[in-house]
Amino acid sequence: MSIVAKSLSRIKPSPTIAVTDLARRLKAEGRDIIGLGAGEPDFDTPDHIKEAAIAAIRRGETKYTNVDGTPELKAAIARKFKRENGLDYSPQQITVGAGGKQVLYNALMATLDPGDEVVIPAPYWVSYPDMVLLAGGVPVFVPCPENRGFKLRPEDLDAAITPRTKWVILCSPSNPTGAAYTRAELAELAEVLLRHPHVWVMSDDIYEHLVYDDFEFATIAQVEPRLYPRTLTVNGVSKAYCMTGWRIGYAGGPAELVKAMAVVQSQSTSNPCSISQAAAVAALDGDQSFIARNNAIFKERRDLVVRELNRAPGLRCAKPEGAFYVYPSCAGVIGKRTPEGRAIETSEDFARYLLESVGVAVVHGSAFGLDPYFRISYATATPVLEEACRRIVRACEALR
Ligand code: PMP
Ligand code: GLU
């Protein structure tokens, strides 16, 4: 009999992490691999943030802290929510975890009873459904096709809600599509949610700062203050501050929920790294100008990737509002054959073909729940991206 719990059979390893690990391993073996799987900025953490961490070590801030965040970091987060989102959260309404991922996990663990439903617009970030399943909940997927901008329509949200619905998860700008909701679109979704007072909203704002072409980010608790009492606004420093390895995420929400989330964390990891928390204070309170500089580079890369991929026979790539992903359709290569005669039947076949034939690692769309697509992260040096696009075009041209 296996040592592994039956509950674990409900989930699988994170496919985005699996692709990233595979690319890293092949590279270490000496293969010429370009990894476009990882969802993390290639930019280094800014120096003033690193210095704050070094100073914290020197001050001896190397001990356990409050489980759900130091008073200093909670105060900096409260200032951030007020300044950038117009949201008032007191320290009792703020929680800090080891990444946005842990915060989302805590929230689901703390709130889901067996059979509780969570509405997840598809395509979705790979970890939402598995976290729900591990917590004993039931993911309810709502397809959001490309011709609707990969966005949830109010009528489809309404139709997905049942008496068992506990949460709806919104992610804007989206991983994997980069699609972002306008204020007006959020207001329409809010109107539906106001009619269903038992449904809570998890707003994953981790890509808040990564928007282009003057797109204005908005978050639902701000757009519809009547939803504030049942919204968890999740964010983190990983993406905008180039701090993926530091593992700091946070959320603001009703005190009862936030307190329950701290219970989960107190019995798993305790506080997030004390040094990273000091660094996160410097990130949130410090100079923000590098974000705009990074975004100018991300925007150029997005435009490059969209332009080049649309040259590849069989691919079609929409231009998204934000994040650092594109989600091209590979419908036009399905049914074709590789030069070796292997049939491309799924997005997974296509991703494998790209890796084996031209050494480009991407994540297959089936991992995100809307196919046939694949995800490219363009958070990679521009010349490398140019080379990757040339290789993808070449690989598509070789299909028959
Ligand atoms: N939400 C989304 C949509 C993400 O893409 C990520 C990145 N993996 C996270 C949350 C969590 O990021 P982190 O744990 O690094 O804060
Ligand atoms: N969010 C990133 C991604 O989607 C990091 C990996 C993960 O946690 O899924 O690639």
Side-chain angles (χ1 to χ4, degrees):
M1 220 176 74
S2 167
I3 183 69
V4 179
K6 286 193 200 73
S7 59
L8 213 71
S9 68
R10 295 201 288 263
I11 67 167
K12 60 190 179 311
S14 163
T16 48
I17 293 181
V19 169
T20 308
D21 286 354
L22 174 64
R24 204 180 283 136
R25 201 182 70 227
L26 294 174
K27 243 187 205 162
E29 286 170 6
R31 298 253 324 257
D32 173 19
I33 300 291
I34 300 179
L36 303 181
E40 68 174 344
D42 54 318
F43 306 123
D44 198 7
T45 306
D47 278 336
H48 69 278
I49 300 175
K50 290 181 179 172
E51 291 304 330
I54 293 164
I57 295 175
R58 296 227 161 89
R59 282 195 307 273
E61 290 178 22
T62 55
K63 307 277 199 271
Y64 293 134
T65 72
N66 292 350
V67 163
D68 63 352
T70 60
E72 293 75 23
L73 180 50
K74 286 192 177 194
I77 291 166
R79 286 190 289 276
K80 178 265 178 262
F81 275 132
K82 184 73 188 163
R83 181 178 70 237
E84 296 182 344
N85 311 114
L87 290 172
D88 283 301
Y89 288 117
S90 69
Q92 295 73 32
Q93 292 178 284
I94 290 173
T95 187
V96 186
K101 203 173 207 169
Q102 187 180 26
V103 171
L104 294 161
Y105 182 85
N106 288 344
L108 293 167
M109 280 291 163
T111 56
L112 293 183
D113 287 311
D116 283 350
E117 294 173 1
V118 178
V119 174
I120 303 177
Y124 44 74
W125 179 42
V126 294
S127 292
Y128 300 143
D130 284 32
M131 286 182 188
V132 169
L133 288 165
L134 195 60
V138 179
V140 175
F141 301 115
V142 184
C144 304
E146 186 179 350
N147 63 13
R148 295 175 208 151
F150 297 117
K151 291 186 228 181
L152 180 62
R153 287 194 310 184
E155 56 268 42
D156 295 335
L157 170 62
D158 198 39
I161 292 173
T162 77
R164 295 298 315 254
T165 307
K166 199 115 191 201
W167 290 100
V168 52
I169 303 183
L170 298 177
C171 179
S172 170
S174 148
N175 179 359
T177 65
Y181 290 84
T182 64
R183 189 170 274 274
E185 286 165 340
L186 288 175
E188 281 179 15
L189 295 176
E191 218 176 283
V192 172
L193 290 163
L194 288 172
R195 292 202 298 273
H196 299 281
H198 66 293
V199 179
W200 285 58
V201 193
M202 209 173 283
S203 180
D204 184 345
D205 298 354
I206 195 108
Y207 296 100
E208 163 174 17
H209 291 291
L210 304 179
V211 291
Y212 314 113
D213 305 322
D214 301 322
F215 183 90
E216 269 188 46
F217 172 86
T219 191
I220 196 154
Q222 178 189 25
V223 170
E224 178 44 84
R226 283 175 292 175
L227 288 178
Y228 171 87
R230 49 185 168 109
T231 298
L232 185 70
T233 307
V234 181
N235 212 315
V237 295
S238 283
K239 313 288 173 172
Y241 299 93
C242 313
M243 292 177 70
T244 46
W246 299 73
R247 311 307 304 130
I248 295 291
Y250 58 85
E256 184 194 11
L257 168 63
V258 162
K259 199 169 152 200
M261 289 164 64
V263 173
V264 176
Q265 191 159 300
S266 78
Q267 296 293 15
S268 55
T269 58
S270 297
N271 63 276
C273 170
S274 58
I275 300 153
S276 297
Q277 290 191 72
V281 172
L284 295 176
D285 281 348
D287 172 37
Q288 309 286 307
S289 60
F290 65 91
I291 296 178
R293 285 197 298 278
N294 289 353
N295 280 1
I297 298 172
F298 279 140
K299 177 189 140 52
E300 263 179 38
R301 291 174 180 173
R302 177 201 63 176
D303 294 347
L304 161 85
V305 170
V306 169
R307 189 179 64 236
E308 295 306 313
L309 289 184
N310 278 318
R311 293 200 172 127
L315 303 188
R316 188 187 64 241
C317 186
K319 188 188 279 191
E321 292 88 356
F324 38 59
Y325 306 109
V326 290
Y327 200 60
S329 161
C330 55
V333 302
I334 303 295
K336 292 191 176 180
R337 285 186 178 276
T338 70
E340 294 75 37
R342 230 171 341 111
I344 305 281
E345 281 163 5
T346 62
S347 65
E348 217 167 339
D349 292 341
F350 181 61
R352 193 176 315 114
Y353 168 65
L354 287 182
L355 186 62
E356 287 172 0
S357 67
V358 291
V360 177
V362 303
V363 188
H364 49 283
S366 47
F368 305 98
L370 190 82
D371 241 356
Y373 289 84
F374 62 104
R375 188 190 80 175
I376 281 183
S377 163
Y378 55 80
T380 296
T382 308
V384 178
L385 272 180
E386 283 168 349
E387 171 61 15
C389 289
R390 273 195 294 272
R391 291 188 191 187
I392 293 172
V393 171
R394 191 168 8 110
C396 289
E397 284 170 351
L399 292 172
R400 291 287 165 263

